[in-house]
Amino acid sequence: MNFAANSDVESVNVLEIKGVTKKFGGLTSLDNVNIVLGEQTIHGLIGPNGAGKTTLFSILSGELRPDNGDIYFLGRSIKGLSPPKRARLGIGRTFQRLELFKGMTVSEHVLISLRCRDSNWGNFSLDQISTEPIINLTTSSMRTFVISKFHFFRQFSRGAPSPNESEKIKSLLMSLNLSEVADRQVESLPLGHGRLVEMARALALSPQVLLLDEPSSGLDSLETQVLSNAIKAVVETYRCSVIIVEHDIKFVERLASVVTVLDAGKIVASGETKTVLRSEKVRAIYSGIST
Amino acid sequence: MSQLPIDVLSGLPFGCVYGLLALGLVMGYRTSGVLNLALGAQGFLVALFFNAAIDDGWSSLVSFIVWVIIFGPFVGIALDRLLFRHVRGAPVVVQLVSVLGLLIAIPSLATVLAGSTSPSPHALILAPSTIYTHLGGYAISGQAVVTVSITIVVLGLLSYLMHFSRLGLYMRSVVESPKLAELSGIEAERVGALAWGLSSLLAGLAGVLIVPILHQVSSFSLTTLVVAATAAAAVGGLTSLPLTMAGALMLGITQQIIAGFAPTGAQWTQGLRPSLPFVILGFALIFHPRLTHLAGRSDPMAGINPPVPSLDVIRRQVRKGRNSRWVVGLAATIVIAVVALNVTDAWAFYLSQGASYACIFLSITLLNGTGGQISLSQASFAGVGGFVTAQMAIHFALPVGAGVFLGALAAGAAGFIVAIPSSRLEGLGTALVTLAFAMLADSLLFPLSWMGNGGTGVILPRPQFGSISFNSSRPLLLFVLVFLAGLSWFVVWIRESKLGLEALAVSSSRRGANAIGLSNKRVSISIFTISAAIAGLGGGIFAITDQSISPSDFNSQYSLVFLVIVVVLGSRTVYGALVGGFGYVIVKQLLSTFAPQSFGALIPLVVGVLAISWVLHPEGLIERQHRYITQLKSHLPKKGLVAASK
């Protein structure tokens, strides 16, 4: 079964998860999961512990491989791609337990991400996903080859940002209200700021899909409010789609237009957020939690 | 009569000894996550006292009870109290360096305590070479009977302990989660201490059993035995005791078969038998699915009441402004000029040697300080650089300068080859792969005629650039110091380059780096290759300073000592490498000139103790002092405030 993000409006599917199944030994963590993510949509992924949310996230980011099924990004299969290649294609992510670069400042987090996007390793595109051998040594491909070899030496270039890079960093940090902590090392930041830094780092890749793993985890109500405003602003400013895995139902309700509920690896409900969260099935799963 | 069964029977005792040590290794690792590479050294300590006591007239039974049954476990429990329980959950480099400290310190301590004279090897019960029985027509020696019988008894007791006793149940629960075990009323630390005691008992037993087979109580043979044990443990994925034992038996038997069938005479065949454990270790690490992510074990309940983060996470950017760099550069130039023009020829030679070590140490600064990687083969890369430099000068009549450059390229190529498999691994896995390479270089690569001249070493001339000759030590010192200054600048430049920033990101969080499209492999391989090339340059400079190089100059043990020196002083700053390089040579010379000969044995002990104490200050001694000075300054009254108060 397919659940379109916005069935009555014709839109391009940014990401399609088709029939994904994942088993760990005898335990089925995901069972024939199908999800479609539309353009500039915030899609919530909820479910109790052990529902398979994190497994699905790991499969989307390439850390795990599905036993069955496939994932399509802008209509092309990305099943065999490694996490770095998916990131370079335009699938950014954040982590429930922060994965920041200790010893680096907030600006440097954005800088390194910008450079990954702009380097020759960053120029990975959907056209490169091909099983056919590259034997056509045209002038153009040779030129690309020479340039890529030249790029190898660029990695030894100076680490300080160029004026152009500085401008981009400034603008990105301003959009997430991180300008004041731009030169601070990330270890000294509170958790809420840390989550925004992860988001800034992911946004520097100019992603088309942003995967947010439990973004409100560990935040107080004020920080959660700031974060939810930031996520809304990100979708409007950067025109990307977002998938949020979250335990906080109210947080998801505030943000997501579409929600998918997983339980024991299966999709139990999917569709418009308010409708899904009011359904008896979902209320039964979340018994005791008011929606 | 067929040779194969004879080889199998003669390989069994070796396999049993490897197995006992490997079981001890796995028990310690499973309980605490620390791979105790010093277990062979613990075995040596027990074997030394056991044999020395028999030399002093003790009966073998009394000596066995006192030293193996009582003293052996006591060593393990004491080490757990003093060290292992404090590094549980710490970063791999902290665990590894503290264990290397033990590996270096224990044999030195044993020599200081027991005296420099090695005791005679004694058998536990039966005469080792006497034939006691025959099996299918094949003779069985006393040593084989004793070793195999004791191993079978130990295996039986261990199986009972782990599967049927309450202590075994506690141990298995502590392995899964010390916090959960504690919530169930189990004293996890006491159970951990018992596991370390048992592990040390097995090491002592292995040491006592191997001595009659080797016919000597040798610290080198016993401490390196741990590599064979690690290979066996790797076959069992560092978790399965039966597979570990099977791996050990296979290793011991295969070694004997190779010794029996390999053609004699050729240099490479002599190195084949001792190399087998390193080859198996390398293959197991690369292809065993459980071993590719040896980043350290963690308690699934670690998030509940988490401990204070280890000091290693407090990273400090050592970045200086441009003005500060010019001041440091100018001061360095003045010091270089004054020193090079005023020292005696002898000290010019020693300082040149110190500079060559500093070059090698800079490779560790880059690899560990910037890349967060651990290599136990930097001395081997230096050896490759040195030998290629020498061989190019001798056999191809190339200028020595060009030879140094080619040596660096060769070391870089060797580093690239090692980096490819090790980039698949994390932390401990990388360290073990490099250790396997270092051991292979010792036994197979350096003894080759076209490399180390059959193990005897190579003699080469000093460089000559046009009319400038470096035959005298003072001009050479000037040249080497300028070269070192350039290399230091290069390391700082790499650290602050785009690659340096990426390496810092990868070493901080591999998942985070993947999430922004950074290829961990590319960054790790680049840093490792450059680091190996720098070590090769250092090896080349050492060779032209010394005018000779031999395999003993850069054997695998030096790699351990070099790593310990650099990280203890501070691997995140070039000063650590510079102080380490010169300090190493100066202290050695001062001790050999002014101190009694017996003090020589204390140097490894001091290095070992420093490594163990590093757990308390993982940022390194130099950064630690810098922090103290900064703190002291912050307590002094500030001028502005004083003026305002007036």
Side-chain angles (χ1 to χ4, degrees), chain B residues 26-295:
Chain B
V26 173
M27 287 195 74
Y29 181 75
R30 284 181 62 178
T31 317
S32 67
V34 180
L35 190 70
N36 182 13
L37 293 176
L39 206 59
Q42 286 171 237
F44 164 71
L45 188 69
V46 171
L48 183 77
F49 289 149
F50 169 82
N51 287 287
I54 297 175
D55 273 356
D56 288 345
W58 294 29
S59 78
S60 59
L61 182 66
V62 173
S63 186
F64 179 76
I65 292 170
V66 171
W67 296 113
V68 181
I69 305 290
I70 299 170
F71 179 70
F74 169 76
V75 171
I77 292 169
L79 288 177
D80 173 63
R81 285 257 163 188
L82 295 171
L83 185 66
F84 294 138
R85 68 174 55 176
H86 304 293
V87 296
R88 182 185 290 167
V92 174
V93 67
V94 176
Q95 293 181 349
L96 196 67
V97 169
S98 53
V99 165
L100 291 180
L102 284 180
L103 180 64
I104 296 165
I106 289 177
S108 170
L109 180 70
T111 312
V112 171
L113 292 175
S116 55
T117 317
S118 182
S120 317
H122 296 281
L124 187 57
I125 311 171
L126 306 174
S129 47
T130 307
I131 306 302
Y132 282 89
T133 183
H134 285 80
L135 189 69
Y138 297 101
I140 308 291
S141 69
Q143 191 54 42
V145 172
V146 171
T147 312
V148 175
S149 308
I150 288 180
T151 306
I152 290 170
V153 170
V154 167
L155 277 178
L157 288 175
L158 264 183
S159 300
Y160 175 79
L161 179 80
M162 294 305 284
H163 297 287
F164 301 106
S165 75
R166 185 171 289 189
L167 180 63
L169 187 68
Y170 290 172
M171 277 184 178
R172 282 185 283 145
S173 67
V174 170
V175 167
E176 290 305 320
S177 168
K179 279 184 188 290
L180 270 181
E182 277 172 358
L183 288 174
S184 308
I186 298 166
E187 290 188 55
E189 293 207 329
R190 187 172 285 185
V191 173
L194 282 173
W196 278 115
L198 203 56
S199 162
S200 190
L201 171 72
L202 292 172
L205 207 53
V208 166
L209 289 174
I210 195 78
V211 161
I213 303 175
L214 298 175
H215 307 297
Q216 57 175 340
V217 189
S218 151
S219 76
F220 181 78
S221 305
L222 268 80
T223 49
T224 50
L225 207 63
V226 81
V227 181
T230 311
V235 171
L238 290 179
T239 48
S240 164
L241 295 180
L243 278 179
T244 296
M245 197 65 215
L249 290 174
M250 180 197 74
L251 185 58
I253 291 167
T254 313
Q255 273 188 317
Q256 290 304 109
I257 292 173
I258 287 175
F261 283 88
T264 52
Q267 191 75 50
W268 67 272
T269 57
Q270 289 175 20
L272 207 57
R273 184 184 175 277
S275 305
L276 188 66
F278 321 133
V279 175
I280 289 179
L281 176 61
F283 273 96
L285 283 164
I286 294 162
F287 296 110
H288 200 301
R290 273 190 194 158
L291 301 178
T292 46
H293 295 289
L294 277 180

Side-chain angles (χ1 to χ4, degrees), chain A residues 63 83-84 87-88 93 95 99 101-104 108 111-113 116 119 121 155-157 159 185 201 205, chain B residues 315 317 319 493-494 496-499 501-502 504-505 508-509 511-518 522 526 530:
Chain A
E63 288 178 339
R88 284 180 245 149
R93 74 164 292 180
F95 298 87
E99 293 283 351
F101 305 136
K102 292 172 195 122
M104 280 194 196
E108 282 173 327
L111 172 68
I112 193 169
S113 207
C116 277
S119 72
W121 292 284
Q155 66 179 316
F156 304 113
S157 63
Q185 290 198 1
R201 185 178 68 182
L205 287 169
Chain B
R315 301 175 76 102
Q317 289 286 82
R319 294 190 169 192
W493 180 69
I494 287 282
E496 296 195 359
S497 72
K498 187 178 159 223
L499 179 65
L501 203 63
E502 291 175 345
L504 186 60
S508 289
S509 166
R511 290 184 82 199
N514 273 336
I516 57 167
L518 207 54
R522 175 181 62 79
S526 300
I530 296 168

Side-chain angles (χ1 to χ4, degrees), chain A residues 41-53:
Chain A
T41 312
I42 301 183
H43 193 121
L45 194 60
I46 60 171
N49 283 337
K53 306 184 296 288

